[in-house]
Amino acid sequence: MDIVEKVRNGERVGLEEALELYELDLFTLGALADEKRKKMYGKKTYFNINRHINPTNICKDICKFCAYSASRKNPNPYTLTVDEIVEIAKKSWQSGAKEVHVVSAHNPEAGLEWYLGMFKAIKEALPQIHIKALTAAEINFLAQEYGLSHDEILDRMVENGVDSMPGGGAEIFDEKVREYICKGKVSSAGWLEIHRKWHERGKKSNATMLFGHVEKREHRIDHMLRLRSLQDETGGFNCFIPLVYQRENNYLKVEEFPTGQEVLKTMAVSRIVLDNIPHLKAYWVTATINLALIAQEYGADDLDGTIERESIQAAAGAKSAHGMALDEFVHLIKDSGFTPVERDSLYNELKVWR
Ligand code: V47
C-alpha cells in the first residue's frame, strides 16, 4: 500500500513513512493533512484572547538559539515585581484576556517564592483568569536550584493556582542536537517525565518543537514520535506547536533556513503523525501571520491568540512585540476562508465570530 493510501485509511505512520510524507509534493501532502483537519474541525479555526507575560530575562542557562536572555547581545536585564505582574494581568483581564501565558528565564536571584507567589497573587486578584505557566525547563531549573523534586514543584504549582502548562522547553528531543543547541537545559527524558507527572494530576499541557535550525527532518519526526508515545499513555496534551526558529541576535550558527514550503510540510506531517494530539497550532509569532493563515489549509486548526505583548521570539526578530488587535485577527481568519472560534484555554468553544 502506498503512503497516501495508508494515511487515508487512518493507519499510523512511523519514522520511515513520515520521511516519505515529506517527499510528497506540497499539495498532495497538504491535501492529506487538510482532510484530517476538516474531519475534526471543518472550517473552524480556534484562537484565544490571551496575554503573554515574560517576567524576567535573567537566565543561568545559555541556549544558543535564545536572544531573549540578558547577555552580551541583549544587555538589558529585568525582573518584574509581583505587583507589576498582577497589574499587567488585571489590565489584560479588563480588556478581555481570559488567559495569562507566563514564561520566564531561569533566574537564580529571583527566589522560589517569587516564581510561585506570582500565580497566587494573580489568582487572588483575578480568580477566573486561566494561568498557563512554567515550562518543564523552568520546573527543572526550580527543582535543581532549590533541592526539590519535580513532584514537589508541580504540587506547589497546583496549590498556587497554575491551571495548565505551556509547551516550551521541548526544543528538539534528539540528544545530540539538544546538547549542541541547549546544553545543560532539562533533558528530553526529563521534559517528558515532567509533563507525564502533570498529566497524572489530571492537568493539561501543550508541547512545542523548535525547528528550522541545525536539526534534520528525522529529528523532527523522532520528536513527534516521542510525544505521540507519551500521549498514548496520558492523553494530557491539548496542542502541538511547531515553533519556527527566529535567527536574529543569538549564537546559533545556521547554514540553511527552512523555506515556506518546508514550514508548511512540517505542519502537515505533524497533523498526520500526531494523530492523538487534538490541536495543531500555527503560532503566527514565529511562522509569520501570512504563513500561519495558509497553514490552516495544511492541518493547523489553531492560531494561538492576540498575545498583546511577547518578548522571547520578538528578541530574535519576530514581529510580535505588540501582539495583534482582536478585530484584525478575526478579520484575517475570516478573509482566509475560515471561521474564527474563540476558545478558552482548554478548547471549550466560547464564541463563533461570524
Ligand atoms: O521553548 C526561544 C522558543 C519557547 C527562539 O504552550 C524561540 O501555547 C523561535 O513556551 N526562535 C518558549 N523560538 C515559548 C513557549 C510557547 C510559545 C507559544 C505558545 C506556547 C503554548 C508556548 O520559545 C522556548 C523556545 O523553543 N524560542 N528562542 C527563537 N530564536
Side-chain angles (χ1 to χ4, degrees):
M1 201 190 305
D2 85 342
I3 185 67
V4 173
E5 216 179 317
K6 244 186 168 170
V7 171
R8 288 225 162 95
N9 288 344
E11 288 185 35
R12 268 204 159 169
V13 298
L15 176 67
E16 293 305 323
E17 289 154 323
L19 284 170
E20 265 184 69
L21 286 174
Y22 263 114
E23 294 301 329
L24 293 174
D25 69 86
L26 180 64
F27 300 112
T28 308
L29 175 59
L32 283 177
D34 193 41
E35 271 172 38
K36 301 218 172 276
R37 182 232 203 262
K38 276 203 192 111
K39 245 188 227 154
M40 296 162 91
Y41 308 111
K43 283 279 184 183
K44 288 177 182 175
T45 289
Y46 295 98
F47 73 97
N48 70 351
I49 305 179
N50 59 353
R51 161 79 200 220
H52 280 220
I53 306 177
N54 304 119
T56 180
N57 66 348
I58 298 173
C59 198
K60 71 176 259 204
D61 282 316
I62 312 155
C63 297
K64 287 194 179 120
F65 54 79
C66 183
Y68 168 64
S69 76
S71 71
R72 274 177 292 144
K73 289 200 181 183
N74 173 25
N76 292 305
Y78 72 84
T79 303
L80 302 178
T81 64
V82 169
D83 285 348
E84 285 169 330
I85 296 164
V86 171
E87 266 322 293
I88 293 170
K90 276 188 187 163
K91 276 204 185 113
S92 301
W93 174 259
Q94 279 156 11
S95 57
K98 297 181 179 71
E99 168 192 289
V100 280
H101 164 123
V102 188
V103 170
S104 284
H106 308 161
N107 182 345
E109 306 298 323
L112 187 61
E113 277 321 306
W114 177 85
Y115 266 96
L116 293 164
M118 68 173 87
F119 306 124
K120 193 163 196 206
I122 294 173
K123 265 289 151 80
E124 271 167 14
L126 303 162
Q128 286 167 332
I129 207 161
H130 181 104
I131 302 180
K132 176 169 61 143
L134 290 181
T135 66
E138 288 172 84
I139 292 165
N140 188 62
F141 154 72
L142 292 175
Q144 283 181 350
E145 195 68 24
Y146 300 101
L148 297 169
S149 65
H150 292 155
D151 278 306
E152 285 169 309
I153 301 285
L154 293 168
D155 286 340
R156 297 203 48 192
M157 283 163 63
V158 175
E159 283 161 23
N160 282 274
V162 176
D163 296 294
S164 68
M165 266 176 68
E171 322 311 357
I172 279 282
F173 290 146
D174 176 86
E175 278 73 12
K176 274 207 181 118
V177 178
R178 194 171 186 84
E179 162 113 2
Y180 178 69
I181 65 172
C182 56
K183 192 175 176 187
K185 200 171 195 167
V186 64
S187 67
S188 306
W191 190 98
L192 290 161
E193 195 50 30
I194 290 168
H195 281 260
R196 177 203 299 281
K197 286 173 182 290
W198 183 246
H199 297 166
E200 281 167 2
R201 285 163 170 75
K203 301 284 189 184
K204 295 287 184 183
S205 68
N206 291 336
T208 56
M209 171 179 79
L210 182 66
F211 77 104
H213 42 87
V214 297
E215 91 297 347
K216 303 262 180 288
R217 286 173 173 176
E218 49 265 42
H219 300 130
R220 296 176 207 158
I221 298 163
D222 164 68
H223 189 96
M224 293 173 205
L225 292 175
R226 294 195 207 191
L227 288 171
R228 189 171 79 183
S229 296
L230 179 56
Q231 180 74 342
D232 275 343
E233 290 176 49
T234 67
F237 290 115
N238 262 339
C239 180
F240 179 61
I241 312 153
L243 299 169
V244 185
Y245 168 67
Q246 308 294 299
R247 61 189 78 171
E248 289 175 22
N249 306 321
N250 65 28
Y251 294 94
L252 191 56
K253 299 257 172 302
V254 175
E255 276 164 18
E256 210 180 321
F257 296 104
T259 59
Q261 286 208 22
E262 188 67 13
V263 171
L264 292 175
K265 280 191 168 185
T266 302
M267 287 285 170
V269 170
S270 308
R271 178 65 286 164
I272 294 164
V273 172
L274 290 171
D275 55 5
N276 56 359
I277 298 188
H279 298 282
L280 175 63
K281 188 181 285 187
Y283 187 49
W284 61 266
V285 168
T286 64
T288 71
I289 187 65
N290 290 339
L291 209 50
L293 291 168
I294 299 170
Q296 296 172 107
E297 296 174 59
Y298 289 79
D301 64 283
D302 187 328
L303 291 193
D304 198 87
T306 45
I307 290 173
E308 243 185 282
R309 201 177 177 83
E310 193 279 328
S311 307
I312 298 178
Q313 280 105 5
K319 304 280 170 279
S320 49
H322 304 296
M324 176 104 63
L326 179 59
D327 278 4
E328 189 188 353
F329 201 59
V330 164
H331 275 110
L332 285 169
I333 297 172
K334 275 196 211 166
D335 290 349
S336 61
F338 288 82
T339 309
V341 178
E342 185 187 337
R343 60 167 174 83
D344 69 11
S345 305
L346 301 174
Y347 288 86
N348 297 301
E349 293 187 10
L350 301 179
K351 177 175 170 179
V352 180
W353 287 73
R354 296 200 188 278

